[in-house]
Every structure is written in C-alpha cells, then in structure tokens.
C-alpha cells in the first residue's frame, strides 16, 4: 500500500508512542522498502533484516545457529518453532544465493558506467571465443588440424598396421580431453575388424606403459583418454601432448604388436 511504513510510523507518533526501530523483514536482498514507503522515517530508525542473503548474515543463519536451537533444547514456544521452521525452509528454497548477490552488486556497479560495460562486453566476447583460441593454439604449437572448432587432431601413419594412429583433444570451458586411438575404430559389425581394433587398444595401452605415459588417470572409453583442467592444468596438457607427439613421430611403428 502507498506509504505503508510511513503511515504506521506516523500513526505511532500521533498516539504518543515512541518508535525505537522499524524492523523490515525481507525475504532476500532484492526486496527492500520503497522510498515512498519510508519517506517520513529517519534512516537510523529502519532496520532491514534479510531472510536469506547468501552471506550468512541473515535471519535464516542467525536463527538456525542460535535461538531456534535454544528454543528446541528448552522445549519452549512450540508454535513459534513450528512457524519459524516452515519459514526457514521457504527462505532456504526461494532465497537468493551468493551468486544472486554478486550479480545484483555487479548490475548496480555497471548500470551507470558505460566504459565499464563496454569492457565487460569485450571480455564476454573473448570468453565466448576462448575455446576456438585454445584449439588454434594447439594447432599452432603441434602442427595439427582444427576440426570444426570442436577439437585439435593429428594423425600418425603406421605402415606396419596399415592405418593411422591419432590423437585428438576435445575441450569445453573447464576441461581438455586428450585421446589416443586407432583409426581402425570404425569396425561396423565385421568380426575381423573388431578383433583388430580390440588388439590396437591393448597395444596402445602397452605402448603407453612402455614409455611411462600411463597412470591411473588414463582410462578407456572407446579411446584412451586423459583429462586436464583448464586453466589449472594447461601446462601439464601441453607438456604431455608434446611428449606423446615426439614419441609417435619416432616410434609409431612400435605400437602395433603384430
């Protein structure tokens, strides 16, 4: 209602009541009293308590950590406990998170700052193109190819086996997936091709172990795979890839066991 808190405040004064504090209990930081509602009230008289603010300084946290537990232990005010418990559950399920608070602060900061907004747009564009940049960096470093901006790949011919062994590196915003595999993977239903492909996978595992490239972070899922986090393990990925490529260039024929 219009001027709601001001009307309450003025009504108290008209009835010779002293107003020590007006406590405004808001479900979250996004809902606050309007300037119209509090226009006649001194700022120091207003206390806003957020039900759930994502910062552990809210009604939810304080009650959970303090008074509600005390009431339960003392077995007092059962009706109040029931009401508060339900309200706390609602706050937990509907209240803002820390990310909501950060987003709101971020919005408030840039809304009147055009220069900052333009910088942010540029950063967003760079971030959206980061995967392509990362793939092209791999291409430049390891002389491979970019497959549809989805992955880096490079083939190594094995005349002994009569096909290529290959590596590819797929990636998303947070990971790289390094793969080492045989191009004989497209077997269809041919039993002979399936048997050769299965042998290839055993040979690759043995080859990795022989060159001290195999550990418990390597796993088989149609291809031999190894994960690296981005950006934390980027250097590890590059070092590992460089070592594998160097060995494939020199010893690719040693993979095939027959």
């Amino acid at each position: 209602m219009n001027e709601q808190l001001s009307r309450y405040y003025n009504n108290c004064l008209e009835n010779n009541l002293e107003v020590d504090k007006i406590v405004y209990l808001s479900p979250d930081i996004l809902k606050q009293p309007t300037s119209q509602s509090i226009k006649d009230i001194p700022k120091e008289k207003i206390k806003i308590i957020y039900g759930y603010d994502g910062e552990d300084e809210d009604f939810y946290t304080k009650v959970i950590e303090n008074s509600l537990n005390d009431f339960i232990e003392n077995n007092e005010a059962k009706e109040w406990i029931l009401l508060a418990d339900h309200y706390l559950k609602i706050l937990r399920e509907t209240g803002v998170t820390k990310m909501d608070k950060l987003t709101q602060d971020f919005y408030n900061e840039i809304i009147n700052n055009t220069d900052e907004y333009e910088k942010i747009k540029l950063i967003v564009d760079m971030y959206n193109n980061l995967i392509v940049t990362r793939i092209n960096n791999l291409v430049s470093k390891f002389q491979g190819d970019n497959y549809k901006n989805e992955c880096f790949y490079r083939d190594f011919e094995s005349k002994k086996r009569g096909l290529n062994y290959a590596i590819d590196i797929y990636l998303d915003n947070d990971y790289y997936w390094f793969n080492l595999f045989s191009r004989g993977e497209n077997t269809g239903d041919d039993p002979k091709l399936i048997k050769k492909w299965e042998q290839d996978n055993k040979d690759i595992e043995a080859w990795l172990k022989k060159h001290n490239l195999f550990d418990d972070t390597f796993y088989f899922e149609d291809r031999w795979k190894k994960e690296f986090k981005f950006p934390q393990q980027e250097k590890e990925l590059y070092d590992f890839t460089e070592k594998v490529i160097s060995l494939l260039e020199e010893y690719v024929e040693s993979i095939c066991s027959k």
Side-chain angles (χ1 to χ4, degrees):
M1 300 171 65
N2 287 339
E3 304 178 8
Q4 184 174 13
L5 296 182
S6 288
R7 287 190 292 103
Y8 294 165
Y9 176 73
N10 289 324
N11 185 263
C12 288
L13 298 183
E14 290 168 3
N15 286 277
N16 299 316
L17 296 172
E18 181 179 348
V19 179
D20 179 60
K21 193 75 69 176
I22 292 180
V23 179
Y24 185 89
L25 180 59
S26 170
D28 57 57
I29 60 171
L30 303 181
K31 180 172 175 54
Q32 300 196 27
T34 66
S35 57
Q36 180 196 58
S37 179
I38 59 175
K39 68 175 188 175
D40 294 332
I41 307 172
K43 288 185 178 179
E44 66 272 13
K45 295 284 188 180
I46 300 172
K47 171 68 174 178
I48 300 176
I49 297 178
Y50 298 118
Y52 195 94
D53 65 4
E55 291 291 335
D56 296 335
E57 294 294 332
D58 49 35
F59 178 83
Y60 174 81
T61 303
K62 298 302 182 185
V63 172
I64 284 294
E65 291 181 350
N66 300 309
S67 55
L68 184 58
N69 289 333
D70 292 339
F71 274 121
I72 291 172
E73 289 176 5
N74 296 327
N75 196 29
E76 297 178 3
K78 292 183 179 179
E79 295 83 1
W80 187 89
I81 293 171
L82 181 62
L83 175 63
D85 187 47
H86 283 297
Y87 182 56
L88 293 171
K89 288 178 181 177
I90 292 171
L91 291 174
R92 186 171 62 246
E93 294 176 5
T94 63
V96 297
T97 64
K98 289 185 179 180
M99 184 56 69
D100 293 325
K101 186 176 187 304
L102 287 172
T103 302
Q104 185 65 31
D105 292 345
F106 175 68
Y107 172 77
N108 292 335
E109 184 176 333
I110 69 169
I111 192 169
N112 295 315
N113 194 328
T114 304
D115 290 340
E116 286 300 314
Y117 180 64
E118 292 302 321
K119 290 178 184 177
I120 291 161
K121 284 176 61 180
L122 178 60
I123 292 170
V124 169
D125 289 340
M126 291 171 62
Y127 179 77
N128 289 337
N129 290 311
L130 189 56
I131 287 179
V132 176
T133 300
R134 288 160 60 196
I135 293 173
N136 288 334
N137 284 344
L138 289 166
V139 171
S140 175
K141 171 69 175 176
F142 299 117
Q143 299 163 358
D145 292 285
N146 178 340
Y147 178 74
K148 297 182 178 180
N149 290 330
E150 294 178 4
C151 74
F152 160 88
Y153 74 95
R154 183 171 168 185
D155 283 80
F156 302 85
E157 182 183 9
S158 170
K159 293 181 180 178
K160 181 179 178 181
R161 173 67 174 87
L163 49 65
N164 288 349
Y165 293 99
I167 64 171
D168 63 30
I169 302 174
Y170 279 84
L171 51 160
D172 66 11
N173 291 333
D174 300 315
Y175 279 92
Y176 290 98
W177 287 275
F178 178 98
N179 301 279
L180 176 60
F181 60 100
S182 160
R183 290 292 185 189
E185 62 184 352
N186 298 317
T187 61
D189 296 325
D190 189 321
K192 291 183 179 179
L193 293 179
I194 292 173
K195 187 174 181 179
K196 285 186 176 181
W197 175 71
E198 290 174 344
Q199 184 60 50
D200 278 339
N201 293 319
K202 293 178 182 177
D203 289 345
I204 290 171
E205 180 180 5
W207 186 85
L208 289 167
K209 290 179 177 178
K210 177 182 177 181
H211 293 286
N212 298 316
L213 294 167
F214 192 87
D215 59 29
D216 56 6
T217 63
F218 242 121
Y219 62 96
F220 184 74
E221 193 177 85
D222 295 329
R223 299 177 174 186
W224 285 103
K225 298 177 181 288
K226 187 175 176 70
E227 295 178 5
F228 297 85
K229 290 182 179 180
F230 176 80
Q232 298 94 321
Q233 294 180 301
E234 169 131 342
K235 185 179 184 305
E236 291 178 45
L237 168 79
Y238 272 72
D239 290 346
F240 183 81
T241 303
E242 184 173 22
K243 186 174 182 180
V244 172
I245 287 177
S246 176
L247 290 168
L248 286 171
E249 289 174 336
E250 189 171 358
Y251 302 114
V252 67
E253 297 294 5
S254 68
I255 296 179
C256 182
S257 61
K258 296 182 180 179

